[in-house]
Amino acid sequence: QGRLSIANTTNIDTLLAAQHQEGSAELTNPTEAEMDKISFIFNNLSLMNLTPKTDDMKEVLKIDENLMHAKWLAQYLVMKRASIEPNFHALYSQFLVVLKSERLYDEVIKETYKNIGILLRADKSMANFSDRSLLKNLGHWLGLMLLARNKPILMVDLDMKHLIIEAYHGGQQEKQQELLYVVPFVAKVLESAAKSKVFKPPCPWTSGLMNILAELHAEPDLKLNLKFEIEVLCKTLNLEISELRPGNALKDYQRLGKLLDIKGFGMNTSQQLPSLQKPMMDDMKGFKQDNSFNNSSFGPSLTQAPNNYSPGLNSAAGAFSQPPGAA
């Protein structure tokens, strides 16, 4: 069901499978007739008829009185619409504005975080174009729902800086496989900062993320399509990539080790991970050899990997340190 569009060739199998596993099917669904009416409303929605369509929606579902109705509509809007119809994001966002339901808005945000978490935790070893497209679309939707409305993306819900760092150090055979998911996702989220009075550059939060993307962009072996994503984002935000101030966040192993210990991202740093340790340690060995500041009179370099360091960056689950929607 839904509009005929190229975007509809993207399948949501990963999201549907997770929905059944987590028992989301226990939600009380509206009747078949009500679901048909809701589908008809969305299929015929336009900027010209938002008010009458929102009135129709209120007649079909009692969103503010019935929590199950709000949860079901949020799931339908995020999973069946926003995730595969990026061209209509602005329309759906405006629909929520006209509907004026805080309960539905909160449920949509929770559902968006939940589905993003599912896709980030999915197996990235295979090139799954559908999952990457869904993640990009939901990233744009999240930015539109929060940043464009001057609302923050809290670190307890989604830590994008950590996502980039762990994707960079991913243990996949194809080293940049995780980056193919994460970089376009983060870029799509940050696009909406251009529409925000609070988060548009030079906002420190946005600048910090842009600087780590600039550091990634400077990597000589980064795939061209990822470089292009970062350059397009800079253009959207009216930034020159040459004016950004890339730091050393991706290779500051001592800081990374402390961060993992303090925040408990995914696993204990003392845990041995043979499949991940070798490529990571090879990187660190080369990095230490080139480090001209590793002098005993000055103490160890900030970027030197500690002897007991063991990377725990093997899954995107670490970016979700609390359940989706937690505040």
Side-chain angles (χ1 to χ4, degrees):
Q1 293 182 356
R3 304 171 199 261
L4 290 175
S5 135
I6 295 175
N8 282 0
T9 59
T10 302
N11 70 67
I12 58 171
D13 293 347
T14 303
L15 299 180
L16 290 172
Q19 175 189 339
H20 290 302
Q21 284 180 359
E22 293 176 5
S24 297
E26 294 174 7
L27 276 179
T28 305
N29 293 340
T31 65
E32 285 290 333
E34 288 172 336
M35 288 193 284
D36 287 343
K37 287 178 182 177
I38 292 164
S39 182
F40 181 81
I41 289 169
F42 278 103
N43 285 341
N44 293 277
L45 196 62
S46 74
L47 290 173
M48 302 297 291
N49 64 9
L50 281 174
T51 302
K53 291 300 179 186
T54 53
D55 292 339
D56 293 345
M57 181 64 73
K58 289 174 182 177
E59 288 180 10
V60 179
L61 295 181
K62 306 301 179 186
I63 299 165
D64 291 319
E65 291 83 10
N66 190 325
L67 179 60
M68 286 297 107
H69 280 184
K71 285 180 176 291
W72 182 90
L73 184 58
Q75 186 182 83
Y76 173 82
L77 179 58
V78 173
M79 190 188 297
K80 303 287 181 67
R81 294 288 176 170
S83 68
I84 58 175
E85 296 181 350
N87 292 339
F88 300 108
H89 281 180
L91 178 62
Y92 297 150
S93 175
Q94 200 59 33
F95 178 75
L96 289 175
V97 171
V98 176
L99 198 58
K100 295 179 182 176
S101 171
E102 288 188 17
R103 169 176 274 180
L104 179 61
Y105 175 78
D106 290 342
E107 291 299 330
V108 165
I109 298 301
K110 289 178 184 177
E111 189 68 24
T112 304
Y113 277 130
K114 174 185 164 187
N115 284 282
I116 287 170
I118 289 166
L119 293 168
L120 287 173
R121 289 188 291 265
D123 180 19
K124 302 181 186 68
S125 58
M126 297 181 292
N128 189 326
F129 179 76
S130 286
D131 281 5
R132 279 159 52 185
S133 295
L134 291 173
L135 196 54
K136 278 182 69 172
N137 294 344
L138 288 176
H140 182 261
W141 175 251
L142 182 67
L144 207 57
M145 288 286 96
L146 293 175
L147 301 186
R149 299 183 183 206
N150 301 315
K151 295 177 184 288
I153 295 174
L154 301 178
M155 189 180 289
V156 295
D157 292 326
L158 177 64
D159 187 345
M160 289 192 286
K161 184 175 286 189
H162 171 68
L163 269 182
I164 297 168
I165 292 171
E166 70 173 359
Y168 175 78
H169 292 293
Q172 308 287 352
Q173 287 184 341
E174 177 72 27
K175 184 176 180 181
Q176 296 186 26
Q177 190 64 38
E178 288 204 21
L179 287 173
L180 288 171
Y181 284 76
V182 170
V183 172
F185 165 71
V186 172
K188 282 296 179 184
V189 174
L190 290 179
E191 265 186 21
S192 294
K195 304 182 181 78
S196 171
K197 293 178 181 178
V198 176
F199 297 104
K200 67 181 178 183
C203 166
W205 179 82
T206 307
S207 298
L209 285 167
M210 292 307 298
N211 287 337
I212 198 170
L213 287 175
E215 183 184 347
L216 190 63
H217 185 274
E219 288 290 311
D221 60 343
L222 188 69
K223 290 181 183 291
L224 287 177
N225 56 332
L226 296 181
K227 285 182 182 281
F228 181 70
E229 291 277 0
I230 297 169
E231 290 163 8
V232 169
L233 175 61
C234 286
K235 187 175 181 181
T236 303
L237 297 177
N238 292 317
L239 295 171
E240 291 291 335
I241 198 161
S242 57
E243 296 174 1
L244 294 173
R245 299 166 58 189
N248 199 32
L250 294 176
K251 293 179 179 176
D252 190 342
Y253 295 109
Q254 188 167 357
R255 182 185 292 175
L256 289 176
K258 288 180 180 177
L259 195 66
L260 289 166
D261 278 335
I262 293 168
K263 299 193 72 173
F265 283 157
M267 60 185 65
N268 191 324
T269 54
S270 63
Q271 185 175 348
Q272 298 300 309
L273 298 172
S275 61
L276 296 179
Q277 207 166 1
K278 189 176 186 306
M280 188 78 165
M281 290 305 174
D282 289 345
D283 283 349
M284 289 192 286
K285 188 186 297 181
F287 191 78
K288 282 193 281 185
Q289 287 172 351
D290 295 337
N291 186 355
S292 59
F293 291 97
N294 190 14
N295 186 307
S296 58
S297 61
F298 291 95
S301 163
L302 285 175
T303 54
Q304 179 181 343
N307 294 331
N308 63 349
Y309 179 75
S310 176
L313 306 173
N314 72 323
S315 77
F320 290 82
S321 52
Q322 290 191 18

